Amino acid sequence: MSDKHEKSSGLEPAMSFAEIWGSELRLLKVDPAGLDRKLFGCASAADKQDALTQFVDDLHEPVAALCLSGGGIRSASFALGVIQGIARFDLLDKFHYLSTVSGGGYIGGWLSAFRLARPDAEVMAALNELPRNGHEPAEIKGIRADSNYLTPMLGLLSADTWTVLALYIRNLFLNWAVLLPFFLGVMFFPHLCRSVLALAALDPDGPDASFISAPVACAIVLITLAQAVNVYGRYAAADRSLYRWQFIAFVLVPTILAAMALTLAVRRTPLIASTFTGVFAIPLLGGLVYGGSWLIARAAPSTQKPMMQWWDFAAWCFSGVVVGSLLAFEFSRQTLRDSSDLLTVIGLSGFVSALLIGELVYVGLSSFLEHADSNQEWLARSSGWLAATALAWLCGSGIVLYGPFVIEYLWQSWVTRIPTLVAGGLTGAITLIIGWSDKTSALKARLDSAHVSWQQVISLTAVVFAVFLALVLAYLDGQITILLESWKWLSTLWSGFFSPPVIDCIAMLTLLVLAASISVCVNVNRFSLHALYRNRLIRAFLGSARAHARQARTADRFTGFDFADNCPMADLRKVSRPGRLFHVVNMTLNVVSSTNPAWQERKAESFTATPLATGNAYVGYRDTKTFGHPENGLSLGTAMAISGAAVSPNMGYNSSPLIGLLLMLFNIRLGWWFGNPSKDKYTKPGPTLSLLPELKELAGATKDSSDWIYLSDGGHFENLGIYEMVRRRCRFIVISDAGCDPHCTFEDLGNAARKCFIDFGVSISFKDLGIKSRETLPGLSARIAIGSITYPNSTKPGVLIYVKPTYCQTTEPPHVRSYASTHADFPHESTADQWFSESQLEAYRALGAHTMEHVCTGGIGVSPGETPKPMTLQELSDNAAASLDQKPRPARRWKGLKKLIGLGEVANTTHAN
């Protein structure tokens, strides 16, 4: 991370990971004296990092972490049982870190808020109060009451349902109030170009008879400049080569402007005035332009000199002749020159096509030169940019200018009208519903294993819907144009100043200014689905954590919300025992437009919020007290909701530009924009001009070097919460993985292990991943797996206990078996189901508690009312290993019971009789 910007602006440099890691260890009270000795004399961040790594590795007591995975309310329910099972053996406060992702963050946030509201001793006792004395604490009753946290009162006529619907519709219209004028304004540009060409054809002075008119001269200068930079770029020394922005500024933009100037010249001047002009003059001019550009470029002292320099010059000049010939042939078409609409659409793309064919000829003629390989690569990339620009203009302007006619034709009768509406609505619905489900994935392994390529289906439906939407917007633009042209009185003002081009320009600028003005008032963060989602999470989980009578929680009598539930994240420093369960909320910083080729699959970075600091190792960290707000800082509820922002236009390794387009348009956005910790806007709650970040979301242009960064679900980077714990060198980790994985493919575990190895060199391995899916026979599945963690330059292996919801059909409680018997997908029901019933929540909670009790007792189990002996983490590790040796078997207790009390003989006798 560079501090140049920070130093030049007087901004305090962002903290490094080494700084915040040291602060965490001090708060955790891990050998403070030894820590100070180890850090003494360490000046640089790298020295501190090395010292802290050695310090943690040398600790006698390993740093321990409890990780709660993503998975929505399913994960929260199972994790609640895991927490209760661990607490029952007096183990919960043995963990230094609590690392949460998404749904695991619901219950992790609840636990942290619970510990903030009541002393730790009371919290640990309350977790298992119900089986001990028959009374469940209000904090857990609140979770049960709000298991349908989005709409607690179900039903079509319930106030909760209509409140959510009203909020979504309101926010959707506010979102469209920004985007609709912007898109209409942008789509007015082809209308403006057409108006300029139409006006040029109606020049009262008649067409300019001179061959070299002002537009032609302008085009010659621009294309000479562009091609000179093109030649320079191919032969420049490595330390003088062009950056991408330089190519765009000095090659792409001048080429586009030259194409526009030449198109204007064709419209107002018959270039093919004579046979000599058509056959000789224009091709000759093309050769002269290319030759001049070559001489200008080669005059630069930083270019490398190839062998056979004269042949390179000749080949380049000949390609210019080819380009001139193609342009002469193309623009000699009378039909093209007589139609302003057609010339607007074809002009740019036709000009660029001629340039691309000329480059093709040059590459063929110069293929045996010394620098042929580098030339081909450079021109290939240059051609890619030019071709993409030409194709975008061809499609975009074609839809804008000819789209209204298509819509009018399709709207003439019900025979075409109904299929059009069905096709447009159906493709949009398919993309929205399936696009962010587990049917699609950015991970190639899953795509390759699929029998049906859902990614291709979604891409196709998204393209169809995008075209349909563009046609509708083009029709609206056409209606606006017709309306403006009908205002004849405008042309009489100011001696005809309000000509069609001026009117189109004013309309375009008015729409763009309107969009920008509205976006200042409409906060990009507040008017998305995030606020709706966050407020209900706060009410259900953080509100439940304050449900104890002594807290005097005062919720609004009408809405049911008490915004005091949402405590600042920094307040978690005040928990009664700060040395344990330091909460790390895992999020994803989206870098969909990252320039790092190795991250094309990830498209994301890990980003964390803790009571001490918020940020990541790439952009730096800021004090959580001031991050996102200069006074209150980041709140626990906001961090918890961002960590669970599963549906967003930019979704880490699940990002797709086509799907993101629709999610953005329909305001299905749970992510959040924050100021970059490395820049000076990190204390602000959101961007002032919301239009720019919205467009970045839509275009997939999010990155970590901008003033504003986009955060979404932690599962979009790593769904188990283990990545940041490995970064902190934890040597004892328990993972509750309740992600949806019905076939036990362990995608989340594999993703975490891969990134830990690539980024840290840390190996995570298992001798046996014996956890099986429910499809297997009863009794053949383990409930956990035990892995080892190998850190570089360390002789002390770490232990990883991996816990996964598994239905063994053996010793689970009766109500769990009852629920499972009627729900075939249990315990991996869809994450899309966020409306849990009482029986559903209890089944997952009880399964989590039963699993941990099974693990903590070495597979023996414990009776509900029993108070087991407190354990240590080492005993937990030993008992977990012992539980794997206890082969689960189908329950046959009833037969043994009958034999014990003598009923077996009676039954046999009766049967014999």
Side-chain angles (χ1 to χ4, degrees):
M1 182 186 63
S2 174
D3 295 337
K4 180 185 288 187
H5 167 77
E6 296 166 342
K7 291 179 180 178
S8 62
S9 62
L11 179 68
E12 184 78 16
M15 293 180 286
S16 66
F17 174 71
E19 291 178 87
I20 68 110
W21 191 15
S23 299
E24 289 176 4
L25 293 173
R26 286 190 177 89
L27 187 64
L28 292 171
K29 303 184 184 301
V30 179
D31 189 9
L35 179 62
D36 291 336
R37 287 194 301 270
K38 201 70 177 179
L39 291 176
F40 181 76
C42 295
S44 67
D47 291 340
K48 291 179 181 178
Q49 179 94 9
D50 292 341
L52 289 170
T53 298
Q54 189 62 49
F55 169 76
V56 171
D57 287 345
D58 292 340
L59 289 173
H60 176 70
E61 178 189 12
V63 178
L66 174 61
C67 302
L68 308 180
S69 80
I73 188 65
R74 180 192 62 248
S75 177
S77 303
F78 182 79
L80 173 60
V82 169
I83 289 172
Q84 289 178 310
I86 292 175
R88 191 172 184 186
F89 293 85
D90 199 25
L91 283 168
L92 189 58
D93 59 357
K94 303 294 192 302
F95 290 92
H96 299 84
Y97 285 101
L98 174 66
S99 178
T100 65
V101 183
S102 193
Y106 303 172
I107 207 66
W110 168 83
L111 179 62
S112 293
F114 195 1
R115 296 179 65 218
L116 184 64
R118 297 178 64 180
D120 264 12
E122 294 184 16
V123 172
M124 302 306 163
L127 287 171
N128 289 286
E129 186 175 334
L130 181 61
R132 190 170 56 251
N133 57 25
H135 300 288
E136 190 166 54
E139 289 82 358
I140 297 179
K141 282 184 178 179
I143 294 176
R144 294 187 188 277
D146 281 333
S147 59
N148 297 300
Y149 65 93
L150 291 173
T151 53
M153 296 300 295
L154 296 176
L156 183 61
L157 300 180
S158 77
D160 286 328
T161 300
W162 284 97
T163 298
V164 169
L165 184 62
L167 283 172
Y168 173 74
I169 294 175
R170 181 196 68 187
N171 293 350
L172 178 64
F173 276 104
L174 287 172
N175 197 50
W176 282 356
V178 175
L179 293 178
L180 186 61
F182 175 79
F183 285 125
L184 290 175
V186 170
M187 294 178 71
F188 241 99
F189 186 68
H191 287 286
L192 174 60
C193 294
R194 181 191 60 182
S195 297
V196 171
L197 293 178
L199 186 65
L202 299 175
D203 189 345
D205 297 331
D208 191 349
S210 62
F211 176 64
I212 304 297
S213 61
V216 173
C218 182
I220 291 173
V221 172
L222 288 169
I223 198 61
T224 302
L225 169 65
Q227 295 299 68
V229 177
N230 191 338
V231 175
Y232 171 85
R234 298 202 306 271
Y235 292 108
D239 59 342
R240 297 294 185 88
S241 57
L242 298 179
Y243 291 102
R244 183 171 61 180
W245 70 267
Q246 291 174 318
F247 171 83
I248 294 173
F250 299 114
V251 178
L252 184 62
V253 172
T255 300
I256 294 173
L257 295 177
M260 297 173 67
L262 187 60
T263 303
L264 178 62
V266 169
R267 181 61 172 154
R268 70 188 302 269
T269 306
L271 290 181
I272 316 303
S274 65
T275 303
F276 173 80
T277 303
V279 176
F280 296 106
I282 296 179
L284 180 60
L285 180 60
L288 291 173
V289 167
Y290 270 54
S293 67
W294 191 93
L295 293 173
I296 293 172
R298 297 313 305 274
S302 60
T303 56
Q304 300 169 349
K305 306 298 182 181
M307 295 176 61
M308 301 185 66
Q309 185 170 309
W310 62 270
W311 181 260
D312 186 71
F313 174 74
W316 188 243
C317 290
F318 183 75
S319 68
V321 172
V322 172
V323 171
S325 302
L326 291 171
L327 291 177
F329 175 78
E330 177 183 359
F331 291 122
S332 66
R333 308 292 94 187
Q334 189 67 32
T335 304
L336 177 64
R337 290 189 287 116
D338 289 346
S339 172
S340 297
D341 288 349
L342 188 59
L343 191 58
T344 300
V345 175
I346 298 297
L348 174 61
S349 57
F351 182 80
V352 172
S353 298
L355 294 181
L356 295 178
I357 293 174
E359 289 184 358
L360 178 65
V361 171
Y362 168 76
V363 168
L365 293 175
S366 61
S367 59
F368 60 86
L369 294 179
E370 181 182 355
H371 296 275
D373 289 340
S374 61
N375 274 352
Q376 290 179 23
E377 288 295 336
W378 209 96
L379 287 173
R381 177 154 297 199
S382 169
S383 299
W385 276 90
L386 291 170
T389 303
L391 182 62
W393 176 259
L394 181 69
C395 297
S397 61
I399 289 175
V400 169
L401 297 181
Y402 291 99
F405 302 106
V406 175
I407 291 293
E408 289 176 358
Y409 173 78
L410 295 175
W411 206 254
Q412 286 180 353
S413 67
W414 289 105
V415 176
T416 55
R417 189 182 306 175
I418 294 177
T420 301
L421 292 174
V422 170
L426 189 61
T427 53
I430 291 173
T431 307
L432 287 174
I433 294 172
I434 304 179
W436 51 272
S437 73
D438 57 3
K439 299 290 185 184
T440 59
S441 175
L443 297 181
K444 192 175 186 300
R446 181 184 286 189
L447 291 178
D448 291 343
S449 65
H451 296 290
V452 178
S453 179
W454 286 106
Q455 203 77 18
Q456 295 177 358
V457 173
I458 296 304
S459 298
L460 179 61
T461 57
V463 168
V464 172
F465 182 77
V467 172
F468 172 78
L469 192 62
L471 289 172
V472 172
L473 292 176
Y475 179 79
L476 293 177
D477 260 340
Q479 295 302 304
I480 295 174
T481 302
I482 294 173
L483 178 65
L484 293 175
E485 290 176 351
S486 67
W487 293 353
K488 301 295 185 181
W489 56 272
L490 284 175
S491 60
T492 62
L493 296 178
W494 202 11
S495 302
F497 171 77
F498 289 100
S499 60
V502 174
I503 293 175
D504 286 344
C505 185
I506 292 175
M508 181 178 69
L509 293 177
T510 300
L511 288 168
L512 294 177
V513 170
L514 177 64
S517 302
I518 296 175
S519 73
V520 173
C521 304
V522 178
N523 188 302
V524 67
N525 288 329
R526 302 292 179 188
F527 292 103
S528 67
L529 285 180
H530 173 92
L532 182 154
Y533 173 63
R534 180 195 60 190
N535 291 344
R536 280 145 186 80
L537 281 178
I538 292 170
R539 177 178 61 185
F541 292 95
L542 304 189
S544 297
R546 297 178 66 236
H548 195 265
R550 291 184 299 176
Q551 296 304 316
R553 182 175 180 269
T554 55
D556 185 281
R557 295 191 181 115
F558 182 63
T559 65
F561 290 100
D562 180 359
F563 290 97
D565 293 336
N566 189 18
C567 64
M569 188 82 185
D571 282 1
L572 297 185
R573 306 176 192 182
K574 306 173 185 176
V575 294
S576 60
R577 190 179 179 188
R580 292 294 185 269
L581 291 182
F582 181 82
H583 197 169
V584 178
V585 180
N586 295 272
M587 312 173 198
T588 293
L589 194 167
N590 285 267
V591 287
V592 179
S593 62
S594 172
T595 57
N596 186 347
W599 288 3
Q600 291 182 82
E601 184 180 63
R602 298 186 183 192
K603 303 175 185 177
E605 299 170 3
S606 175
F607 193 93
T608 60
T610 74
L612 290 177
T614 300
N616 76 11
Y618 299 100
V619 298
Y621 296 84
R622 294 291 180 179
D623 192 332
T624 302
K625 284 185 177 179
T626 56
F627 185 79
H629 196 282
E631 297 177 1
N632 300 322
L634 178 65
S635 69
L636 176 58
T638 297
M640 180 175 67
I642 295 172
S643 179
V647 185
S648 294
N650 289 233
M651 301 185 290
Y653 65 75
N654 292 302
S655 297
S656 166
L658 293 171
I659 298 171
L661 171 68
L662 267 69
L663 293 177
M664 184 68 207
L665 290 177
F666 286 95
N667 202 30
I668 303 179
R669 302 164 46 244
L670 294 175
W672 191 273
W673 285 92
F674 271 120
N676 194 323
S678 66
K679 306 295 179 65
D680 57 0
K681 294 182 173 62
Y682 71 92
T683 61
K684 296 184 178 181
T688 302
L689 185 65
S690 63
L691 178 61
L692 295 179
E694 283 189 289
L695 293 177
K696 286 186 177 181
E697 279 188 71
L698 190 148
T702 52
K703 51 186 179 181
D704 63 1
S705 58
S706 304
D707 288 343
W708 299 96
I709 55 175
Y710 186 67
L711 305 179
S712 66
D713 194 314
H716 295 156
F717 178 79
E718 191 271 297
N719 200 43
L720 301 183
I722 185 178
Y723 182 86
E724 289 295 332
M725 299 301 99
V726 168
R727 186 196 294 274
R728 288 160 172 80
R729 310 280 287 198
C730 294
R731 285 194 289 116
F732 189 91
I733 299 177
V734 174
I735 300 176
S736 168
D737 177 11
C740 188
D741 187 14
H743 304 297
C744 288
T745 59
F746 306 103
E747 181 181 357
D748 290 336
L749 181 61
N751 175 55
R754 178 176 59 255
K755 288 176 178 173
C756 287
F757 181 76
I758 293 173
D759 294 353
F760 309 127
V762 176
S763 298
I764 298 174
S765 58
F766 293 84
K767 288 184 178 180
D768 181 21
L769 270 173
I771 302 174
K772 305 296 183 182
S773 66
R774 186 175 170 178
E775 301 165 353
T776 60
L777 294 174
L780 296 181
S781 176
R783 291 183 171 91
I784 66 166
I786 300 179
S788 62
I789 310 172
T790 304
Y791 289 101
N793 302 317
S794 176
T795 58
K796 296 181 179 179
V799 175
L800 189 151
I801 300 177
Y802 178 72
V803 182
K804 199 173 185 68
T806 307
Y807 181 51
C808 297
Q809 307 179 39
T810 53
T811 60
E812 288 84 1
H815 56 288
V816 175
R817 302 184 71 179
S818 172
Y819 182 85
S821 67
T822 55
H823 296 80
D825 293 335
F826 177 83
H828 291 281
E829 293 168 288
S830 172
T831 309
D833 180 11
Q834 293 294 294
W835 290 265
F836 266 31
S837 63
E838 179 186 47
S839 60
Q840 194 173 11
L841 183 143
E842 175 58 20
Y844 281 95
R845 185 213 64 80
L847 181 62
H850 174 75
T851 299
M852 287 313 301
E853 290 165 2
H854 174 87
V855 171
C856 291
T857 59
I860 299 174
V862 59
S863 62
E866 182 182 348
T867 301
K869 178 184 176 183
M871 294 174 55
T872 64
L873 292 180
Q874 182 59 53
E875 291 174 324
L876 171 61
S877 179
D878 295 340
N879 288 351
S883 71
L884 292 176
D885 296 330
Q886 297 288 330
K887 303 294 184 183
R889 298 181 181 86
R892 300 181 182 273
R893 295 182 178 180
W894 175 240
K895 182 177 180 180
L897 181 61
K898 289 192 296 182
K899 191 178 271 189
L900 178 65
I901 62 177
L903 292 179
E905 291 78 3
V906 175
N908 292 334
T909 304
T910 305
H911 180 71
N913 293 337

